[in-house]
Amino acid sequence: MVMATSRSPPSSFASNSPCAACKFLRRKCTSECVLAPYFPSDEPQKFANVHKIFGASNVAKLLSTLPNHQKEDAVTSLVFEAAARMMEPVYGCVGAISVLQRQIAQLQQELSSAHAGLASYADVVDGCKGSNYGGSSVSFGLPVGLLRRDHGSVGPQHIQRTHDRWFPKTTAC
């Protein structure tokens, strides 16, 4: 059985100053102010963004309908979405999510390519066990330009040393 933890809202009445919402709306902040616990007076931009995107009345209505344990998370979400909408008015946080999803897809593609390169390397190494390089350079399916290090060519000795370092105590080509 999972029990919901009840969090008490943060207190902003320590200094008797009006909350950021009441300051912004130029009204008196009372002890019954729904917005005061979530918009402290030292963070006025936080409320300004939320007010510009959602409106103070809508936010107050939303908070009054939610159970106490969900209010803080709701305000955090509203603040995040409002900040995203201020930076990207059309897409908001969906735009940020889309950018991240494209980056994930690109990185997955690069990872698949790296796995394929490693597989072809393993196939070449397995295929040449017991044989000698005989002075020819092996490209492992990679462009020859990628096999250069410090503007020098990578020859069979370098490949053999790399193989021995990565795959110790195996029969090398």
mmCIF file of all heavy atoms in Angstrom, residues 109-142:
data_model
loop_
_atom_site.group_PDB
_atom_site.id
_atom_site.type_symbol
_atom_site.label_atom_id
_atom_site.label_comp_id
_atom_site.label_asym_id
_atom_site.label_seq_id
_atom_site.Cartn_x
_atom_site.Cartn_y
_atom_site.Cartn_z
ATOM 1 N N GLN A 109 21.768 6.563 -33.167
ATOM 2 C CA GLN A 109 22.296 6.242 -34.498
ATOM 3 C C GLN A 109 23.818 6.138 -34.452
ATOM 4 O O GLN A 109 24.406 5.210 -35.015
ATOM 5 C CB GLN A 109 21.864 7.342 -35.470
ATOM 6 C CG GLN A 109 21.693 6.912 -36.869
ATOM 7 C CD GLN A 109 21.056 8.033 -37.690
ATOM 8 O OE1 GLN A 109 21.176 9.209 -37.368
ATOM 9 N NE2 GLN A 109 20.383 7.651 -38.751
ATOM 10 N N GLU A 110 24.464 7.078 -33.773
ATOM 11 C CA GLU A 110 25.922 7.029 -33.652
ATOM 12 C C GLU A 110 26.368 5.799 -32.883
ATOM 13 O O GLU A 110 27.376 5.178 -33.224
ATOM 14 C CB GLU A 110 26.425 8.300 -32.954
ATOM 15 C CG GLU A 110 26.323 9.540 -33.798
ATOM 16 C CD GLU A 110 26.757 10.798 -33.050
ATOM 17 O OE1 GLU A 110 27.475 10.684 -32.030
ATOM 18 O OE2 GLU A 110 26.366 11.889 -33.485
ATOM 19 N N LEU A 111 25.622 5.428 -31.850
ATOM 20 C CA LEU A 111 25.958 4.233 -31.074
ATOM 21 C C LEU A 111 25.824 2.975 -31.921
ATOM 22 O O LEU A 111 26.689 2.096 -31.878
ATOM 23 C CB LEU A 111 25.063 4.150 -29.833
ATOM 24 C CG LEU A 111 25.329 3.007 -28.867
ATOM 25 C CD1 LEU A 111 26.739 3.101 -28.287
ATOM 26 C CD2 LEU A 111 24.295 3.027 -27.742
ATOM 27 N N SER A 112 24.761 2.901 -32.723
ATOM 28 C CA SER A 112 24.591 1.752 -33.626
ATOM 29 C C SER A 112 25.741 1.668 -34.617
ATOM 30 O O SER A 112 26.252 0.585 -34.900
ATOM 31 C CB SER A 112 23.265 1.864 -34.376
ATOM 32 O OG SER A 112 22.195 1.763 -33.485
ATOM 33 N N SER A 113 26.147 2.817 -35.133
ATOM 34 C CA SER A 113 27.270 2.850 -36.062
ATOM 35 C C SER A 113 28.554 2.384 -35.381
ATOM 36 O O SER A 113 29.340 1.628 -35.976
ATOM 37 C CB SER A 113 27.435 4.270 -36.612
ATOM 38 O OG SER A 113 28.561 4.356 -37.429
ATOM 39 N N ALA A 114 28.766 2.808 -34.153
ATOM 40 C CA ALA A 114 29.956 2.376 -33.411
ATOM 41 C C ALA A 114 29.917 0.877 -33.146
ATOM 42 O O ALA A 114 30.940 0.194 -33.270
ATOM 43 C CB ALA A 114 30.063 3.147 -32.099
ATOM 44 N N HIS A 115 28.738 0.352 -32.799
ATOM 45 C CA HIS A 115 28.607 -1.092 -32.592
ATOM 46 C C HIS A 115 28.902 -1.858 -33.881
ATOM 47 O O HIS A 115 29.562 -2.895 -33.850
ATOM 48 C CB HIS A 115 27.207 -1.448 -32.084
ATOM 49 C CG HIS A 115 27.000 -1.188 -30.633
ATOM 50 N ND1 HIS A 115 27.681 -1.846 -29.641
ATOM 51 C CD2 HIS A 115 26.180 -0.304 -30.002
ATOM 52 C CE1 HIS A 115 27.296 -1.404 -28.463
ATOM 53 N NE2 HIS A 115 26.385 -0.449 -28.649
ATOM 54 N N ALA A 116 28.419 -1.334 -35.008
ATOM 55 C CA ALA A 116 28.687 -1.985 -36.298
ATOM 56 C C ALA A 116 30.177 -1.955 -36.608
ATOM 57 O O ALA A 116 30.733 -2.947 -37.102
ATOM 58 C CB ALA A 116 27.893 -1.296 -37.406
ATOM 59 N N GLY A 117 30.837 -0.842 -36.315
ATOM 60 C CA GLY A 117 32.279 -0.753 -36.531
ATOM 61 C C GLY A 117 33.042 -1.742 -35.669
ATOM 62 O O GLY A 117 33.985 -2.388 -36.127
ATOM 63 N N LEU A 118 32.623 -1.871 -34.416
ATOM 64 C CA LEU A 118 33.274 -2.843 -33.531
ATOM 65 C C LEU A 118 33.028 -4.271 -34.010
ATOM 66 O O LEU A 118 33.920 -5.118 -33.941
ATOM 67 C CB LEU A 118 32.773 -2.672 -32.095
ATOM 68 C CG LEU A 118 33.299 -1.459 -31.350
ATOM 69 C CD1 LEU A 118 32.607 -1.320 -29.999
ATOM 70 C CD2 LEU A 118 34.791 -1.553 -31.159
ATOM 71 N N ALA A 119 31.821 -4.536 -34.493
ATOM 72 C CA ALA A 119 31.516 -5.878 -34.990
ATOM 73 C C ALA A 119 32.364 -6.206 -36.207
ATOM 74 O O ALA A 119 32.889 -7.317 -36.328
ATOM 75 C CB ALA A 119 30.035 -5.989 -35.333
ATOM 76 N N SER A 120 32.534 -5.227 -37.114
ATOM 77 C CA SER A 120 33.357 -5.496 -38.294
ATOM 78 C C SER A 120 34.820 -5.663 -37.887
ATOM 79 O O SER A 120 35.532 -6.479 -38.463
ATOM 80 C CB SER A 120 33.205 -4.390 -39.336
ATOM 81 O OG SER A 120 33.771 -3.186 -38.877
ATOM 82 N N TYR A 121 35.267 -4.925 -36.897
ATOM 83 C CA TYR A 121 36.630 -5.089 -36.384
ATOM 84 C C TYR A 121 36.808 -6.491 -35.811
ATOM 85 O O TYR A 121 37.786 -7.162 -36.100
ATOM 86 C CB TYR A 121 36.925 -4.033 -35.320
ATOM 87 C CG TYR A 121 38.271 -4.205 -34.643
ATOM 88 C CD1 TYR A 121 39.445 -3.855 -35.298
ATOM 89 C CD2 TYR A 121 38.369 -4.734 -33.362
ATOM 90 C CE1 TYR A 121 40.673 -4.016 -34.702
ATOM 91 C CE2 TYR A 121 39.589 -4.905 -32.754
ATOM 92 C CZ TYR A 121 40.744 -4.547 -33.418
ATOM 93 O OH TYR A 121 41.955 -4.714 -32.820
ATOM 94 N N ALA A 122 35.822 -6.947 -35.023
ATOM 95 C CA ALA A 122 35.907 -8.290 -34.446
ATOM 96 C C ALA A 122 35.903 -9.345 -35.537
ATOM 97 O O ALA A 122 36.636 -10.335 -35.453
ATOM 98 C CB ALA A 122 34.745 -8.509 -33.481
ATOM 99 N N ASP A 123 35.116 -9.135 -36.603
ATOM 100 C CA ASP A 123 35.083 -10.096 -37.712
ATOM 101 C C ASP A 123 36.433 -10.163 -38.415
ATOM 102 O O ASP A 123 36.919 -11.242 -38.755
ATOM 103 C CB ASP A 123 34.002 -9.709 -38.731
ATOM 104 C CG ASP A 123 32.597 -9.920 -38.201
ATOM 105 O OD1 ASP A 123 32.443 -10.646 -37.182
ATOM 106 O OD2 ASP A 123 31.656 -9.354 -38.797
ATOM 107 N N VAL A 124 37.067 -9.023 -38.635
ATOM 108 C CA VAL A 124 38.371 -8.990 -39.302
ATOM 109 C C VAL A 124 39.413 -9.673 -38.430
ATOM 110 O O VAL A 124 40.223 -10.466 -38.915
ATOM 111 C CB VAL A 124 38.788 -7.536 -39.626
ATOM 112 C CG1 VAL A 124 40.244 -7.463 -40.046
ATOM 113 C CG2 VAL A 124 37.895 -6.973 -40.705
ATOM 114 N N VAL A 125 39.380 -9.382 -37.124
ATOM 115 C CA VAL A 125 40.348 -9.997 -36.218
ATOM 116 C C VAL A 125 40.135 -11.501 -36.164
ATOM 117 O O VAL A 125 41.086 -12.270 -36.223
ATOM 118 C CB VAL A 125 40.250 -9.367 -34.810
ATOM 119 C CG1 VAL A 125 41.052 -10.164 -33.801
ATOM 120 C CG2 VAL A 125 40.722 -7.927 -34.846
ATOM 121 N N ASP A 126 38.890 -11.948 -36.094
ATOM 122 C CA ASP A 126 38.603 -13.376 -36.075
ATOM 123 C C ASP A 126 39.011 -14.029 -37.396
ATOM 124 O O ASP A 126 39.494 -15.155 -37.423
ATOM 125 C CB ASP A 126 37.113 -13.630 -35.828
ATOM 126 C CG ASP A 126 36.712 -13.351 -34.392
ATOM 127 O OD1 ASP A 126 37.610 -13.283 -33.521
ATOM 128 O OD2 ASP A 126 35.491 -13.201 -34.143
ATOM 129 N N GLY A 127 38.841 -13.308 -38.504
ATOM 130 C CA GLY A 127 39.161 -13.853 -39.822
ATOM 131 C C GLY A 127 40.647 -13.963 -40.090
ATOM 132 O O GLY A 127 41.072 -14.747 -40.925
ATOM 133 N N CYS A 128 41.462 -13.199 -39.375
ATOM 134 C CA CYS A 128 42.882 -13.239 -39.686
ATOM 135 C C CYS A 128 43.692 -13.894 -38.567
ATOM 136 O O CYS A 128 44.890 -13.748 -38.517
ATOM 137 C CB CYS A 128 43.403 -11.834 -39.994
ATOM 138 S SG CYS A 128 43.321 -10.687 -38.636
ATOM 139 N N LYS A 129 43.048 -14.626 -37.666
ATOM 140 C CA LYS A 129 43.800 -15.351 -36.633
ATOM 141 C C LYS A 129 44.688 -16.391 -37.294
ATOM 142 O O LYS A 129 44.275 -17.095 -38.202
ATOM 143 C CB LYS A 129 42.839 -16.038 -35.665
ATOM 144 C CG LYS A 129 42.236 -15.094 -34.669
ATOM 145 C CD LYS A 129 41.417 -15.847 -33.644
ATOM 146 C CE LYS A 129 40.851 -14.854 -32.649
ATOM 147 N NZ LYS A 129 39.974 -15.481 -31.703
ATOM 148 N N GLY A 130 45.896 -16.446 -36.840
ATOM 149 C CA GLY A 130 46.836 -17.419 -37.371
ATOM 150 C C GLY A 130 47.522 -16.978 -38.649
ATOM 151 O O GLY A 130 48.398 -17.655 -39.130
ATOM 152 N N SER A 131 47.091 -15.872 -39.235
ATOM 153 C CA SER A 131 47.758 -15.398 -40.444
ATOM 154 C C SER A 131 48.627 -14.206 -40.085
ATOM 155 O O SER A 131 48.645 -13.747 -38.966
ATOM 156 C CB SER A 131 46.718 -14.998 -41.498
ATOM 157 O OG SER A 131 46.017 -13.859 -41.059
ATOM 158 N N ASN A 132 49.329 -13.707 -41.070
ATOM 159 C CA ASN A 132 50.219 -12.564 -40.850
ATOM 160 C C ASN A 132 49.696 -11.406 -41.675
ATOM 161 O O ASN A 132 49.118 -11.596 -42.745
ATOM 162 C CB ASN A 132 51.643 -12.947 -41.283
ATOM 163 C CG ASN A 132 52.657 -11.936 -40.806
ATOM 164 O OD1 ASN A 132 52.298 -10.855 -40.345
ATOM 165 N ND2 ASN A 132 53.920 -12.296 -40.909
ATOM 166 N N TYR A 133 49.906 -10.204 -41.208
ATOM 167 C CA TYR A 133 49.492 -9.043 -41.978
ATOM 168 C C TYR A 133 50.277 -8.933 -43.274
ATOM 169 O O TYR A 133 49.791 -8.391 -44.244
ATOM 170 C CB TYR A 133 49.684 -7.750 -41.162
ATOM 171 C CG TYR A 133 48.630 -7.534 -40.127
ATOM 172 C CD1 TYR A 133 48.954 -7.564 -38.784
ATOM 173 C CD2 TYR A 133 47.312 -7.279 -40.481
ATOM 174 C CE1 TYR A 133 47.990 -7.358 -37.818
ATOM 175 C CE2 TYR A 133 46.343 -7.073 -39.526
ATOM 176 C CZ TYR A 133 46.682 -7.118 -38.196
ATOM 177 O OH TYR A 133 45.740 -6.917 -37.239
ATOM 178 N N GLY A 134 51.495 -9.377 -43.264
ATOM 179 C CA GLY A 134 52.302 -9.382 -44.462
ATOM 180 C C GLY A 134 52.581 -8.006 -45.042
ATOM 181 O O GLY A 134 52.754 -7.877 -46.233
ATOM 182 N N GLY A 135 52.596 -6.996 -44.218
ATOM 183 C CA GLY A 135 52.938 -5.661 -44.676
ATOM 184 C C GLY A 135 51.784 -4.897 -45.280
ATOM 185 O O GLY A 135 51.933 -3.742 -45.624
ATOM 186 N N SER A 136 50.622 -5.504 -45.447
ATOM 187 C CA SER A 136 49.497 -4.752 -46.005
ATOM 188 C C SER A 136 48.735 -4.096 -44.874
ATOM 189 O O SER A 136 48.688 -4.608 -43.771
ATOM 190 C CB SER A 136 48.573 -5.692 -46.782
ATOM 191 O OG SER A 136 47.991 -6.618 -45.894
ATOM 192 N N SER A 137 48.170 -2.942 -45.177
ATOM 193 C CA SER A 137 47.404 -2.266 -44.129
ATOM 194 C C SER A 137 45.960 -2.728 -44.197
ATOM 195 O O SER A 137 45.407 -2.937 -45.263
ATOM 196 C CB SER A 137 47.501 -0.747 -44.290
ATOM 197 O OG SER A 137 46.878 -0.359 -45.483
ATOM 198 N N VAL A 138 45.350 -2.888 -43.056
ATOM 199 C CA VAL A 138 43.975 -3.335 -42.949
ATOM 200 C C VAL A 138 43.138 -2.144 -42.526
ATOM 201 O O VAL A 138 43.469 -1.460 -41.566
ATOM 202 C CB VAL A 138 43.853 -4.473 -41.908
ATOM 203 C CG1 VAL A 138 42.427 -4.919 -41.786
ATOM 204 C CG2 VAL A 138 44.754 -5.628 -42.301
ATOM 205 N N SER A 139 42.052 -1.878 -43.230
ATOM 206 C CA SER A 139 41.265 -0.691 -42.915
ATOM 207 C C SER A 139 40.052 -1.006 -42.065
ATOM 208 O O SER A 139 39.395 -0.111 -41.566
ATOM 209 C CB SER A 139 40.807 -0.003 -44.199
ATOM 210 O OG SER A 139 39.846 -0.798 -44.857
ATOM 211 N N PHE A 140 39.688 -2.244 -41.876
ATOM 212 C CA PHE A 140 38.547 -2.646 -41.059
ATOM 213 C C PHE A 140 37.257 -1.976 -41.515
ATOM 214 O O PHE A 140 36.399 -1.651 -40.719
ATOM 215 C CB PHE A 140 38.775 -2.338 -39.566
ATOM 216 C CG PHE A 140 39.987 -3.031 -39.021
ATOM 217 C CD1 PHE A 140 41.065 -2.310 -38.577
ATOM 218 C CD2 PHE A 140 40.039 -4.408 -38.952
ATOM 219 C CE1 PHE A 140 42.172 -2.936 -38.074
ATOM 220 C CE2 PHE A 140 41.151 -5.040 -38.453
ATOM 221 C CZ PHE A 140 42.227 -4.309 -38.013
ATOM 222 N N GLY A 141 37.118 -1.746 -42.781
ATOM 223 C CA GLY A 141 35.901 -1.141 -43.294
ATOM 224 C C GLY A 141 35.816 0.353 -43.062
ATOM 225 O O GLY A 141 34.805 0.958 -43.331
ATOM 226 N N LEU A 142 36.873 0.955 -42.534
ATOM 227 C CA LEU A 142 36.881 2.389 -42.281
ATOM 228 C C LEU A 142 37.665 3.090 -43.367
ATOM 229 O O LEU A 142 38.580 2.509 -43.945
ATOM 230 C CB LEU A 142 37.524 2.690 -40.914
ATOM 231 C CG LEU A 142 36.831 2.107 -39.701
ATOM 232 C CD1 LEU A 142 37.696 2.322 -38.470
ATOM 233 C CD2 LEU A 142 35.481 2.746 -39.506
#
